[in-house]
Amino acid sequence: MKKVIKGRVCDTDTAKKIGEWDNGIYGNDINACSEALYRTKSGCHFLHGRGGANTKYATVLDGSWGSGEIIIPLDEEAAIEWAKEHMPEDAFE
């Protein structure tokens, strides 16, 4: 996924994936949810989140809830907090 936010390009194909998390539910389940933390070559961090219709990433299309995905820019402090909560300590270091 690629998105330009405040002049910064956030592209999951070109940025380095630092860590990822999922809730253990997979496929097209309405409760499936996953997040991945990325860092761009310029040092910016962003979170790529996706999930089913019953997650915080759900979207509404034509009056019906469905799956969705989003890119959320993070400052360094927020990226560190996400990593502390979702990554093993040895991977975080």
Side-chain angles (χ1 to χ4, degrees):
M1 179 176 195
K2 180 178 180 180
K3 188 165 188 172
V4 178
I5 301 172
K6 296 183 181 178
R8 294 183 177 167
V9 177
C10 300
D11 187 346
T12 57
D13 289 335
T14 59
K16 180 180 180 184
K17 186 186 293 185
I18 298 172
E20 56 190 333
W21 166 89
D22 66 64
N23 66 357
I25 303 171
Y26 306 104
N28 292 327
D29 191 288
I30 64 171
N31 296 302
C33 185
S34 64
E35 296 176 336
L37 179 64
Y38 289 85
R39 182 175 50 235
T40 66
K41 291 177 184 173
S42 63
C44 297
H45 295 89
F46 67 91
L47 193 66
H48 176 232
R50 65 172 58 177
N54 199 31
T55 70
K56 63 183 176 181
Y57 297 114
T59 57
V60 177
L61 181 62
D62 297 327
S64 296
W65 287 96
S67 61
E69 65 180 320
I70 189 170
I71 287 182
I72 304 165
L74 300 176
D75 60 26
E76 188 171 358
E77 184 177 320
I80 290 169
E81 285 304 312
W82 185 92
K84 284 180 179 177
E85 290 179 26
H86 297 92
M87 295 173 62
E89 189 173 337
D90 61 332
F92 169 71
E93 294 297 326

